[in-house]
Amino acid sequence: MIQRREGGPGPGAEREPDAAHDAAHDAAHDAAHDAGHGAALRGEIAEAARVLARLGLVTAYGHVSARAGKSMLITPAADLAGVTASSVIEVPLAAAVLPAGVLPAGVPAEAWAHLALYQARPDAAAIARAQPGGAFAVATVVTMMVPLHGQAAWLGESVPVCDDAALLRSADRAERGASCLPAGEALLLRGNGALTLGATPGLAVARMWLLAAACDVYLAAMAASGANPVTALSAGEIASWRAVGGELLPRLWEHLRRRPGPGEPWPGEVQGQDQPRDHRRPPAPRVMPLDLGEEREPHGSGPGREEP
């Protein structure tokens, strides 16, 4: 039998230093993990923002955010084309903890819209804010846009319109806007662009690109239909497309993150001197000289053609 010395530490006392050490180690590990996750998430937000800009869905205005525990991380009030991970700003999710309802310095004033959506939609993990051109047009003619093609179903069973063109620059106005999106992943803002949700910043941006495409399809269908009705997707068709969204939407994001902006070459292509790299400038049309006489009279006489 092992005896301990008189007055020496007992079994419980012997384990206490180990338990304290383990607790400190676990806390340090958790802190390092959280810091690593936060840094990675900041990188994802910054990349998503730059892709949003490269796709031409924003100009000088727009933002991307993600939920991070009891806070959100959001891009600054700046051109998204130049956003880096270090410029992403942390904002408490609970607006009540903000002093006098004032957002931190550098945060876009419409960050209230992100905060309101995170409060109203616990399933929202990331948000993109942009201004697709077609979104302005659609929001003036409908109160709800129904999907006309399969991929549009990944935006929701329908896309509601917030019928208030004012900027969402206050908690109250943002809460009213968020109440327009009780379900689904996209919201049109009349006169003010759109908001999309996603499980990651990249997927929120992919949905913004899809929303822009869906608006273009909707406008084209309405213009081409004339007096004929436009056939929207049925409830069963919408459900079938939404069932595969988790598989296919990430593939769209992987495509978009590599997709060049207007006038830029795809990876592996040679950038010509006459192809500007500025994502804001559309590529110049290519003009080929034509001999109209030869096109119109390939076998007969024409201007500049000698008689046989």
Side-chain angles (χ1 to χ4, degrees), residues 1-11 14:
M1 183 176 69
I2 300 177
Q3 294 182 345
R4 61 182 174 88
R5 292 178 302 160
E6 190 70 26
E14 289 176 358

Side-chain angles (χ1 to χ4, degrees), residues 44-183:
E44 290 182 37
I45 293 169
E47 182 191 16
R50 293 192 300 269
V51 172
L52 195 63
R54 191 173 68 241
L55 294 173
L57 296 172
V58 294
T59 53
Y61 317 104
H63 12 97
V64 178
S65 72
R67 189 192 296 269
K70 295 182 179 180
S71 300
M72 75 169 177
L73 300 174
I74 190 168
T75 53
D79 188 337
L80 294 188
V83 168
T84 62
S86 61
S87 61
V88 172
I89 304 171
E90 183 174 356
V91 181
L93 280 178
V97 307
L98 297 176
V102 178
L103 294 168
V107 171
E110 281 198 318
W112 291 110
H114 296 246
L115 292 169
L117 279 169
Y118 287 129
Q119 292 290 344
R121 294 287 301 273
D123 58 321
I127 298 171
R129 171 81 169 93
Q131 300 84 26
F136 292 114
V138 171
T140 65
V141 296
V142 300
T143 57
M144 184 173 293
M145 183 179 71
V146 295
L148 301 185
H149 69 292
Q151 293 179 29
W154 299 338
L155 302 170
E157 295 180 3
S158 61
V159 179
V161 176
C162 175
D163 192 22
D164 186 350
L167 292 167
L168 305 177
R169 288 186 158 208
S170 69
D172 291 344
R173 195 176 293 279
E175 288 172 6
R176 290 196 294 271
S179 69
C180 297
L181 190 64

